[in-house]
Amino acid sequence: MSMPASFSLMSYNIYHGGIGRMEAITEIVREAAPDLLGIEEADDEAAIAKLAQDAGMIYVHGLANLTHHVAFLSRFPLVESTNHPHPGVMRKTLLEAHVQLPTGEPLILFVTHLSAAATALGERRRLREMEAILGSIGDRADRPHLFLGDYNAVAPGDGLVAEGLTAHYARRISLPRRSGLPRSHRRARAFGAWLDRGLQAGWQTPESLLPRDLVRRVLEAGYLDCYRELHPEEPGYTFPAPDPAIRLDYIFSPPVMRPRLLSCEVVDIPAVSAASDHRPLLARFAL
């Protein structure tokens, strides 16, 4: 049997444990066929165990401090794993997993899900969480490793579609009325459309709407944003899944892995629109 020339790595936030949607999520994982898979909001470990079994993978589960656990699934031998909850700093957790690639080479994966809130305060919390993550990586920063997940953060230079975001959140907090959309939903869409017109006219910039410090900190630490490295001009939006309007999901690579980065794409198959509120991100690296 010939050895594969590459391996694939996927990050996927399955939204509240995938309740009622695990069949669609399993279909996506089977079709994308990642060799390594980080899952955020892996809140139902039994569902993760079944997903791993159905996909022919092994898994480890990382318990969060408060809510929204993470998991890691692998087709390759799993050598060891460690959960780094960083209590008092992280609301969720950081899961570390060591795998053995088909070449026999070790690879370290770090899966995480950072705090939400599109505010300056939320960004400061994420920065504290990232400092803890970088501390966990520590002196292994020069070894082959990758870290991935839902960072709830926007990269410097990235755009967004405000109308899509405001409409999404309005739907989450509003109850439908019999006669059309709720008033709050209509107002949210109108406000988002007004913001988009301001962006298009140059009255404001995307950077003025949302803080950009978290991803900037990761880049300054020497990591590469895999998607943006290969797609400098494409939006790469991953959220919300039915009509993506912002990029929140990332796979970061240290310089030692950059020559091996072959591709990084947002998974766009029919099932992703309803399976979760995020679209998966899939990267491929040379062995």
Side-chain angles (χ1 to χ4, degrees):
M1 180 180 295
S2 62
M3 185 179 297
S6 64
F7 69 91
S8 56
L9 169 67
M10 190 164 89
S11 177
Y12 195 12
N13 181 326
I14 62 171
Y15 185 55
H16 284 302
I19 296 174
R21 293 168 280 107
M22 286 307 300
E23 185 175 338
I25 289 166
T26 301
E27 176 188 340
I28 291 164
V29 172
R30 282 174 168 166
E31 186 163 347
D35 297 306
L36 307 169
L37 171 61
I39 292 184
E40 301 84 52
E41 301 200 20
D43 300 340
D44 182 350
E45 186 175 358
I48 297 299
K50 187 176 188 308
L51 169 63
Q53 181 180 28
D54 291 346
M57 306 174 83
I58 53 179
Y59 85 96
V60 288
H61 193 249
L63 291 176
N65 288 297
L66 297 177
T67 186
H68 295 330
H69 314 306
V70 300
F72 175 74
L73 285 69
S74 176
R75 299 189 193 281
F76 303 145
L78 182 62
V79 179
E80 62 177 292
S81 65
T82 307
N83 193 37
H84 302 279
H86 292 290
V89 177
M90 298 193 73
R91 292 187 170 183
K92 302 178 180 76
T93 193
L94 170 72
L95 179 61
E96 174 183 345
H98 296 230
V99 300
Q100 184 180 45
L101 297 175
T103 57
E105 176 188 8
L107 177 68
I108 309 174
L109 290 306
F110 297 92
V111 183
T112 195
H113 184 186
L114 299 188
S115 295
T119 63
L121 178 61
E123 192 80 338
R124 288 196 295 271
R125 177 177 288 278
R126 286 187 287 274
L127 282 168
R128 290 195 297 272
E129 293 176 328
M130 182 52 62
E131 292 304 329
I133 290 170
L134 294 174
S136 289
I137 296 173
D139 59 6
R140 298 173 294 177
D142 293 331
R143 292 168 56 183
H145 70 282
L146 297 162
F147 69 97
L148 63 149
D150 174 4
Y151 289 81
N152 276 310
V154 187
D158 271 15
L160 56 93
V161 182
E163 184 176 0
L165 291 174
T166 54
H168 172 76
Y169 287 112
R171 279 193 297 270
R172 279 193 175 180
I173 63 175
S174 302
L175 295 174
R177 298 190 310 177
R178 292 181 179 177
S179 56
L181 294 173
R183 182 177 301 173
S184 61
H185 190 182
R186 296 198 303 271
R187 287 176 175 172
R189 289 195 71 98
F191 178 65
W194 176 79
L195 290 175
D196 285 330
R197 287 195 296 272
L199 292 171
Q200 293 163 9
W203 304 334
Q204 53 198 359
T205 65
E207 286 78 2
S208 68
L209 294 180
L210 293 172
R212 309 298 175 108
D213 300 322
L214 186 282
V215 177
R216 184 177 291 111
R217 173 69 182 94
V218 178
L219 299 177
E220 289 173 350
Y223 287 89
L224 303 172
D225 173 350
C226 291
Y227 183 85
R228 189 55 68 222
E229 183 77 6
L230 298 180
H231 304 282
E233 303 298 332
E234 297 177 30
Y237 298 153
T238 60
F239 177 88
D243 189 14
I246 197 169
R247 187 166 71 107
L248 300 178
D249 303 85
Y250 298 85
I251 296 172
F252 290 112
S253 162
V256 69
M257 296 293 292
R258 173 59 186 92
R260 300 165 66 168
L261 175 62
L262 302 175
S263 65
C264 189
E265 307 292 338
V266 179
V267 177
D268 185 13
I269 55 180
V272 300
S273 293
S276 175
D277 60 347
H278 286 249
R279 294 192 173 201
L281 184 65
L282 179 69
R284 184 166 292 277
F285 294 83
L287 284 168

